[in-house]
Amino acid sequence: MASATTGSFYLTETVILPAASIESSRFQGTIDLSAYINVPTGQAIAIDMVDFIWQEGADFGQEVANMVNSNGALSAQLTDQNPGTAFVRADNQSLVASGALNIDIANNLATHSADLYPDSFGPAGLSDSFLCVNDLLYLTAGVDGATVDAEVACTVRVRARVVKLSTKDWMAIAIQSTASDN
C-alpha cells in the first residue's frame, strides 16, 4: 500500500488548559503537515505512535493532585479533520488517537487510559499506521468532572514517517477522510 520515504521523526503540539477551566471546557491546537503532504507525488504521512503528556503549572510538574480541584478526567484526542473544540465519537474515521488521565483526588490515584492509538493494532509496519493525507492534525484537550486548579499543559508527541502512496491508495484515503462523520 505505502512505502516509507523517510525514517521516523517526531512532531509535537501543546494545548494549555488555563487555571479555572470548568468541566467540559475544550481547547485546540494544530500540527502543520503541509510540508510533508504532496498530492501530485502521492506523498502522505504515516503515524506510527502517539503519546499524550500532562504537566501542570509553571514548573511543568506531573503531580495530578495539583491539576484539578476534585475527582475528574483530563482528556485528549488527535484527529485529522477539524472537530472545532469538541471531541469526536470513537467511530469517527478522523480519530487518530485518544486518551484520558482519570484523577481520583480522594484516593490519591491517577490512571492513564489509552482508548485508541495507531501503534496498538499490531506489529510495527505501515499497514498498522494511520495514513494521513490532510495538511493539519488537530489536538483537542479538555477537563471533565472537575475544574482545573493550576494551568495544565497537554502535549501530544507523534512519531511519523513520510510515505509514498499509489494514486489509487491516495484517493481511497482521501475519500475515507472527507467522508468521515463529524
Side-chain angles (χ1 to χ4, degrees):
M1 177 182 227
S3 59
T5 60
T6 69
S8 295
F9 57 91
Y10 289 89
L11 303 165
T12 60
E13 174 63 17
T14 299
V15 170
I16 301 296
L17 284 63
S21 296
I22 61 170
E23 177 181 6
S24 298
S25 296
R26 305 285 186 255
F27 304 92
Q28 187 183 69
T30 59
I31 298 174
D32 185 1
L33 300 177
S34 61
Y36 313 108
I37 305 295
N38 187 319
V39 177
T41 64
Q43 191 168 292
I45 290 289
I47 298 172
D48 297 324
M49 187 173 70
V50 177
D51 290 309
F52 297 108
I53 303 159
W54 296 95
Q55 297 173 302
E56 60 88 17
D59 68 348
F60 307 113
Q62 293 186 314
E63 185 176 353
V64 294
N66 293 333
M67 293 182 183
V68 293
N69 67 351
S70 62
N71 295 345
L74 299 171
S75 305
Q77 289 187 337
L78 185 68
T79 61
D80 73 343
Q81 294 279 314
N82 188 356
T85 54
F87 287 140
V88 298
R89 203 168 66 189
D91 64 349
N92 189 304
Q93 294 296 319
S94 72
L95 184 60
V96 178
S98 70
L101 180 62
N102 294 292
I103 301 169
D104 181 347
I105 298 285
N107 293 306
N108 197 30
L109 293 172
T111 307
H112 186 265
S113 63
D115 303 321
L116 175 69
Y117 281 75
D119 57 318
S120 64
F121 297 110
L126 290 176
S127 64
D128 298 310
S129 299
F130 184 95
L131 297 174
C132 179
V133 297
N134 296 318
D135 60 357
L136 287 172
L137 291 175
Y138 300 88
L139 170 61
T140 305
V143 61
D144 291 301
T147 299
V148 174
D149 270 348
E151 182 177 273
V152 174
C154 175
T155 300
V156 66
R157 184 172 157 98
V158 178
R159 187 176 75 193
R161 294 179 273 174
V162 176
V163 296
K164 174 124 172 91
L165 299 172
S166 69
T167 303
K168 190 168 35 171
D169 291 335
W170 175 275
M171 289 304 298
I173 293 168
I175 290 167
Q176 175 180 306
S177 176
T178 57
S180 179
D181 296 330
N182 291 321

